[in-house]
């Protein structure tokens, strides 16, 4: 049609106006699309697996299954293969598979032949296997287990009254922790710890038997075993059972409720529990995974605590301040391990033993 022209400017203006209207409507009435999101399931470690590190074969089997799952994802592991490699009776395969399944660590998947030793590692099983690997390198946790297991084995083997050849301990299940065997040095260290605290008594060594080390459980050691708790728990209870006071240069001790009595006694308290705690921190500080500067600072704080607890007349205020410095240094270590947690707990127990809970 002649003379007709398209008003492009008017069309562009109309497009801009329409766009503005859509933007205004969208802000006023936003479009909502319903989306259903399932919360991710966070696997929790089964409480029943808390003590698996004390079972040498179950813990080794779990780590073995975890290694197999990493090499062959999606492939079932045959517990019979592990049992055969360890020289265990074939009947143990089904029992061990059922034990792990009951704890939620594996899922049994029978094959076409009805074999019920084929298992798949669960998420919980993978987490526990990782925890076992951490415990294998945790010097504090290994030492605590060595003390508990060695004392219990000495009591059972010697029936609480006969000396026992200590190094025979390496052949029993208790000499394993988290699937890894204790070293000879760890066993001897635990033996010395128990001996110093009066839980065992070393028998006189026979010069003709160069490698023979015999020990027997004392009455205190028997009480510790029969208490059903750990060595650490037993020693802590003994320290809390009563306060020990040392009277120096006393001019007479008066008991009872009497008036107008003047006494000049220097009364101290037993700070040995915190001294032992300081020695324990010093021993295991290199295994806590702290940077060199943090480790040096921790050792310096430990030295202050050792000095405060070793003087002839300890000052409670100074000891308390030194202990708090050590605990602060431990809490500053960001790499959390079972050993670090246990050291912190040991410190709290020692503090309560000295100052009361």
């Amino acid at each position: 049609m002649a003379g007709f022209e398209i008003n492009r400017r008017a069309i562009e203006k109309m497009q801009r106006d329409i766009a503005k209207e859509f933007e205004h409507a969208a802000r006023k009435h936003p479009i909502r699309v319903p989306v259903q999101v399932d919360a991710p399931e966070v696997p929790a470690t089964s409480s029943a697996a808390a003590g698996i590190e004390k079972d040498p074969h179950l813990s080794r089997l779990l780590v073995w299954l975890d290694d197999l799952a990493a090499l062959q994802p999606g492939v079932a592991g045959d517990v019979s293969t592990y049992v055969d490699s360890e020289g265990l009776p074939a009947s143990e395969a089904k029992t061990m598979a059922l034990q792990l399944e009951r704890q939620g660590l594996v899922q049994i998947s029978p094959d076409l032949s009805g074999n019920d030793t084929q298992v798949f590692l669960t998420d919980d099983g993978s987490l526990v296997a990782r925890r076992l690997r951490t415990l294998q390198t945790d010097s504090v946790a290994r030492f605590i287990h060595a003390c508990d297991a060695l004392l219990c084995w000495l009591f059972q083997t010697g029936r609480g009254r006969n000396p026992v050849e200590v190094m025979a301990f390496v052949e029993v299940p208790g000499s394993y922790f988290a699937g890894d065997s204790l070293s000879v040095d760890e066993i001897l260290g635990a033996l010395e710890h128990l001996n110093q605290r009066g839980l065992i008594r070393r028998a006189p060594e026979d010069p003709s038997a160069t490698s023979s080390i015999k020990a027997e459980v004392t009455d205190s050691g028997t009480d510790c075993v029969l208490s059903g708790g750990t060595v650490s728990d037993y020693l802590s209870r003994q320290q809390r059972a009563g306060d020990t006071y040392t009277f120096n240069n006393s001019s007479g001790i008066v008991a009872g409720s009497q008036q107008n009595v003047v006494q000049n006694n220097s009364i101290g308290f037993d700070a040995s529990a915190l001294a032992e705690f300081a020695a324990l921190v010093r021993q295991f500080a290199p295994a806590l995974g702290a940077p060199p500067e943090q480790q040096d600072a921790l050792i310096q704080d430990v030295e202050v605590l050792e000095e405060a607890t070793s003087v002839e007349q300890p000052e409670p205020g100074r000891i308390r301040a030194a202990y708090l410095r050590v605990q602060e240094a431990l809490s500053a270590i960001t790499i959390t391990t079972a050993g670090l947690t246990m050291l912190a707990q040991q410190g709290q127990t020692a503090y309560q033993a000295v100052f009361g809970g």
Side-chain angles (χ1 to χ4, degrees):
M1 183 181 296
F4 179 79
E5 295 182 359
I6 297 176
N7 191 343
R8 299 183 181 277
R9 183 174 298 176
I11 293 175
E12 292 175 356
K13 181 178 182 302
M14 182 176 63
Q15 289 176 335
R16 288 195 297 271
D17 291 341
I18 293 173
K20 289 179 181 180
E21 288 296 327
F22 274 114
E23 291 176 2
H24 178 72
R27 286 194 297 269
K28 190 174 182 181
H29 304 287
I31 299 175
R32 293 181 172 86
V33 179
V35 178
Q36 182 177 357
V37 179
D38 295 329
E41 295 182 0
V42 180
T45 301
S46 171
S47 59
I52 193 174
E53 63 271 9
K54 297 182 180 180
D55 189 307
H57 290 301
L58 284 183
S59 53
R60 286 169 63 88
L61 170 59
L62 195 64
V63 173
W64 180 80
L65 289 171
D66 189 55
D67 290 337
L68 186 64
L71 293 174
Q72 301 177 345
V75 177
D78 191 347
V79 180
S80 297
T81 303
Y82 169 82
V83 167
D84 182 63
S85 66
E86 293 291 318
L88 299 173
S91 58
E92 287 294 311
K94 181 178 180 179
T95 301
M96 295 175 71
L98 288 172
Q99 287 178 311
L100 291 181
E101 184 182 51
R102 179 163 295 182
Q103 297 180 31
L105 305 179
V106 302
Q107 181 179 357
I108 297 178
S109 179
D111 57 19
L112 296 178
S113 63
N115 181 9
D116 51 4
T117 61
Q118 301 281 335
V119 300
F120 287 99
L121 198 66
T122 64
D123 290 340
D124 278 0
S126 180
L127 289 174
V128 173
R130 182 179 302 178
R131 181 174 67 87
L132 290 173
R133 287 193 178 90
T134 301
L135 287 174
Q136 287 179 356
T137 59
D138 193 322
S139 301
V140 178
R142 292 171 67 94
F143 182 75
I144 291 174
H145 169 78
C147 291
D148 294 339
L150 179 59
L151 179 63
C152 186
W153 175 79
L154 287 172
F155 175 79
Q156 292 175 335
T157 306
R159 300 181 181 274
R161 54 183 181 272
N162 296 321
V164 178
E165 177 60 53
V166 174
M167 294 318 299
F169 179 65
V170 299
E171 302 295 334
V172 303
S175 66
Y176 283 80
F177 180 66
D180 187 46
S181 60
L182 298 173
S183 68
V184 172
D185 288 340
E186 287 175 317
I187 295 173
L188 293 179
L191 179 72
E192 184 62 23
H193 182 79
L194 297 173
N195 184 56
Q196 289 179 353
R197 281 144 188 84
L199 299 180
I200 62 105
R201 183 185 305 110
R202 292 184 60 168
E205 297 183 9
D206 183 1
S208 62
T210 57
S211 61
S212 177
I213 302 176
K214 292 186 177 182
E216 59 183 341
V217 179
T218 64
D219 291 341
S220 294
T222 299
D223 291 340
C224 177
V225 173
L226 297 180
S227 71
T230 64
V231 169
S232 178
D233 291 340
Y234 176 79
L235 293 175
S236 299
R237 285 196 299 269
Q238 294 301 107
Q239 291 167 347
R240 291 196 299 267
D243 296 327
T244 301
Y245 296 95
T246 303
F247 295 87
N248 298 320
N249 303 320
S250 300
S251 58
I253 300 175
V254 179
S257 56
Q258 302 183 32
Q259 297 180 348
N260 302 323
V261 175
V262 177
Q263 289 183 241
N264 297 316
N265 299 316
S266 176
I267 303 177
F269 63 97
D270 184 7
S272 60
L274 283 174
E276 293 176 2
F277 165 66
L280 195 64
V281 175
R282 175 188 286 276
Q283 180 179 358
F284 293 106
L288 297 178
E293 60 275 10
Q294 277 190 321
Q295 181 176 323
D296 292 341
L298 175 61
I299 294 298
Q300 291 177 1
D301 293 333
V302 166
E303 290 175 349
V304 174
L305 180 57
E306 289 175 335
E307 181 183 356
T309 55
S310 62
V311 296
E312 185 175 352
Q313 294 184 349
E315 300 176 16
R318 185 184 177 195
I319 292 176
R320 185 180 287 108
Y323 162 78
L324 293 175
R325 288 287 300 273
V326 173
Q327 285 288 35
E328 288 176 1
L330 289 174
S331 62
I333 300 176
T334 57
I335 302 176
T336 303
T337 63
L340 179 62
T341 303
M342 290 178 187
L343 275 181
Q345 293 174 348
Q346 290 289 326
Q348 294 172 0
T349 301
Y351 182 87
Q352 291 174 355
V354 174
F355 293 102

